[in-house]
Amino acid sequence: MSRPTVGSFMVSTSDKTNRGVPGPEVPNDDAGRLALADFIEGEDGARAEFIRLQIELENQPKGQIPKSRLKHQSDLLHANGQRWAGDLAGQVLDYHFHRGFLRRVICHTSALVDHADSWMAQHPIRDLAIHEDPDIHEEAPHPTKLLMHPILAELECLDLGTAMWTDGDWAVFAGRELPRL
């Protein structure tokens, strides 16, 4: 099972606290994130605190962040990160939080193809890294399933890492309209 690292998080769509969560069209809306933190304070104080803390840290000048605040961030994430990530935590290689929300996912193509719809319904993922497992490459879904997946249109960063694609696969990728990449 992967362990979260500091780096994003969104409330599950099945969670009653999902009201007011910044949507894909405003992924860096601090006002919306802070409003959500206020709204969920009584129900999940740690989550509310984490959202506020990561926004605070993001707005600090580099090199001027007190080590005690970084440690507090790490402690909150270690204690709660898997719960906040939900099912995604056990389906990916790693994930990172940024400004209080899950933003970066590192996974195999097969996990992405099988679970991306669920992930995107629960988290504002904008950064994706694909790492193929050479031991299961033959069982991995054809790259076209990934290349045509709607998640790509929401991404701001895509790391194809060890992708083993043919020239035809790259041609499909080059033909995609990906407005945020």
Side-chain angles (χ1 to χ4, degrees):
M1 182 170 295
S2 61
R3 181 176 164 175
T5 54
V6 176
S8 239
F9 154 80
M10 189 160 190
V11 179
S12 167
T13 54
S14 62
D15 188 326
K16 69 180 181 178
T17 63
N18 195 38
R19 291 173 276 161
V21 173
E25 57 284 346
V26 285
N28 296 320
D29 176 19
D30 285 345
R33 291 165 188 263
L34 293 169
L36 174 65
D38 291 343
F39 183 78
I40 65 172
E41 181 71 41
E43 189 170 317
D44 191 345
R47 180 181 282 181
E49 184 177 5
F50 185 71
I51 292 168
R52 290 185 192 110
L53 178 59
Q54 281 214 313
I55 290 171
E56 171 194 327
L57 295 176
E58 183 70 20
N59 292 321
Q60 291 287 322
K62 300 278 187 222
Q64 295 184 16
I65 300 171
K67 288 183 179 166
S68 62
R69 300 301 280 162
L70 292 172
K71 180 177 181 340
H72 185 55
Q73 172 187 240
S74 180
D75 291 345
L76 284 169
L77 189 59
H78 181 72
N80 301 286
Q82 288 185 346
R83 178 172 59 90
W84 295 335
D87 291 341
L88 178 142
Q91 299 166 344
V92 301
L93 300 171
D94 201 3
Y95 54 97
H96 303 265
F97 288 78
H98 175 74
R99 298 162 74 128
F101 290 73
L102 202 149
R103 179 179 174 86
R104 178 172 170 77
V105 169
I106 302 167
C107 65
H108 295 303
T109 300
S110 56
L112 179 71
V113 169
D114 292 345
H115 304 290
D117 293 333
S118 170
W119 299 344
M120 291 304 286
Q122 297 175 36
H123 306 285
I125 298 167
R126 296 293 176 267
D127 185 343
L128 178 66
I130 305 291
H131 290 271
E132 296 303 341
D133 183 342
D135 296 332
I136 63 166
H137 179 68
E138 291 184 26
E139 299 173 21
H142 192 275
T144 302
K145 288 185 177 180
L146 163 66
L147 296 172
M148 299 312 296
H149 201 285
I151 191 174
L152 294 182
E154 301 298 326
L155 297 177
E156 295 171 357
C157 181
L158 176 62
D159 174 357
L160 297 172
T162 58
M164 295 180 268
W165 293 355
T166 66
D167 288 343
D169 297 331
W170 286 108
V172 170
F173 181 70
R176 285 289 312 269
E177 184 175 327
L178 304 170
R180 295 175 189 230
L181 285 178

